[in-house]
Amino acid sequence: MAGEKKQGLQLLDFWVSPFGQRCRIALDEKGLSYEYLEQDLANKSELLLRANPVHKKIPVLLHAGRPVCESLIIVQYLDEAFPATPTLLPAGDPYARAQARFWADYVDKKLYDCGTRLWKLKGDGHAQARTEMVEILRTLEGALGEGRFFGGEAFGFVDVALVPFTSWFLTYERFGDLSVEKECPKLAAWAKRCAERPSVAKNLYPPEKVYEFICGMKKRFGIE
Amino acid sequence: MARVGGELKLLGLWASPFVTRAKLALQIKGLSYEYVEEDLGNKSELLLSSNPVHKAVPVLIHNGKPVCESSVIVQYIDDAFAGTGPSLLPADPYQRAVARFWAAYLEDKLVEPWFKMLDGTRTRAEMGEGVKQMLAAVATLEGALAQCSKGRPFFGGDGVGYVDVALGGLLVWVRASEVLLGVKFLDAARTPLLAAWAERFASLDAAKATLPDFGRVIKHAMMRRGAAAAALAQNN
């Protein structure tokens, strides 16, 4: 398509990756067309290894052939390289930007790792992960406050950072024997609100599909 | 030093490399601030209310509003005081992404294994693995410095930039680790650019004014290691 060639954007990604989904959502929010290139992580391509020699991971954004790695760095790059498109980090407010970075960093540090322990571990490790998961979700709900989105009325950086994980809530609920709706009703409402956005609806997989994927991973790792 | 754009307060610990990063950024931008030394065993009300999520330092309080996490603080200082002193992040979006990438790499590949090693509870095998990881990270950073500096003195080019501050904050602790672990991390033979960078960085006025004293850090680390080992012995 003419759009892709003109802007020269390509995304090396893996379908279920919440980190990759952050980039897909950001690109769609900004109305930027790009070429999606699904990667085989069991058999990494030359392109991926050349684009991200340090981590050999997805997502990688290629802009006119130059690679940008790490999902939140990619999202910030899109904001800065395409200033005429809707901004995700709040414009003209350094303090609000700092808050957004803090909470995106919190999601990065806490959520994925805890979720992984929730479906991988048993016994004490599992119990610990469950307690932590509830605390993480409650903390995030606290950060959301009374706003429609994190940071207020506009869908932005922290929403992009967190929303892919809403597809994982069902998985956390089943493996953690918890209910996001019950523990954090405001967060659950925020997730529903985000799901109404075309960029989110288009790019997230149904929660059952994510659950199926994780069950498959457990089998492959021999975890029962 | 200029007192522009309101009141700045930094909550910190003298030995913390993360606090040092914040101090470096403030120093380089020529900003004056009030420094408050915290006691981890007895955290102040101000610290707990300013950083309820992590209850950690550094915390920068600007006109009463707190900013937490060293990478967020350094970017905030650059952003909020854009007109004051040199810029830490470059203007070009792609170069900014590269700088952010290498700062994140430091946390992931250098700081994480090193933190684990210094808690005094690791097995010999774990220590060996940690040292290997750190050496690998330093080797990669040598390449990063070549790529970012393109022959100029710093990651940021002619002047100190975001990655220089991120790594510079760790410098005294890296040197201390060389003594504590008996491993040369910044070896002029293996990583000549980084070794030269370290000398150059440490001799900057901003570094001299902010980096903690090497001898004091060694003593502190040995004390902490001793306390951790003692606690471990008691529990076994």
Side-chain angles (χ1 to χ4, degrees), chain A residues 113-119 121 123-136 176 178:
Chain A
D113 180 73
C114 184
T116 302
R117 279 183 282 128
L118 200 55
W119 64 260
L121 302 180
D124 283 345
H126 178 267
Q128 166 82 342
R130 190 202 177 276
T131 306
E132 271 183 49
M133 180 54 77
V134 173
E135 196 194 309
I136 290 166
L178 56 98

Side-chain angles (χ1 to χ4, degrees), chain A residues 31-177:
Chain A
L32 294 167
S33 42
Y34 66 100
E35 188 186 358
Y36 180 90
L37 295 168
E38 178 73 8
Q39 299 299 301
D40 179 355
L41 297 183
N43 185 22
K44 293 178 180 176
S45 69
E46 258 312 300
L47 179 60
L48 174 58
L49 297 174
R50 255 186 304 128
N52 192 356
V54 174
H55 299 300
K56 305 174 174 56
K57 284 182 180 174
I58 57 91
V60 181
L61 178 83
L62 290 164
H63 185 193
R66 291 199 300 185
V68 182
C69 308
E70 299 297 300
S71 62
L72 294 180
I73 293 176
I74 291 170
V75 174
Q76 289 184 84
Y77 173 74
L78 290 172
D79 250 11
E80 292 171 352
F82 298 94
T85 63
T87 61
L88 292 166
L89 271 170
D93 188 342
Y95 189 73
R97 275 204 286 277
Q99 291 304 98
R101 288 192 174 112
F102 174 87
W103 286 110
D105 175 71
Y106 180 85
V107 175
D108 259 8
K109 273 192 171 83
K110 301 279 192 176
L111 192 55
Y112 187 74
D113 180 73
C114 184
T116 302
R117 279 183 282 128
L118 200 55
W119 64 260
K120 266 194 180 168
L121 302 180
K122 303 209 99 62
D124 283 345
H126 178 267
Q128 166 82 342
R130 190 202 177 276
T131 306
E132 271 183 49
M133 180 54 77
V134 173
E135 196 194 309
I136 290 166
L137 294 173
R138 286 200 185 135
T139 303
L140 287 168
E141 185 171 73
L144 178 61
E146 299 304 318
R148 278 173 54 77
F149 300 107
F150 287 87
E153 288 308 296
F155 183 82
F157 192 64
V158 182
D159 305 285
V160 171
L162 182 58
V163 77
F165 291 95
T166 59
S167 294
W168 295 65
F169 282 174
L170 179 72
T171 301
Y172 299 156
E173 286 176 335
R174 288 199 181 147
F175 283 107
D177 185 27

Side-chain angles (χ1 to χ4, degrees), chain B residues 169-207:
Chain B
L170 306 177
L171 195 52
V172 175
W173 273 94
V174 173
R175 292 236 187 268
S177 300
E178 291 181 327
V179 172
L180 296 166
L181 302 171
V183 175
K184 195 116 180 73
F185 289 110
L186 297 172
D187 185 339
R190 275 202 308 266
T191 56
L193 293 178
L194 267 180
W197 171 88
E199 294 294 322
R200 193 178 302 129
F201 189 90
S203 61
L204 290 170
D205 286 337

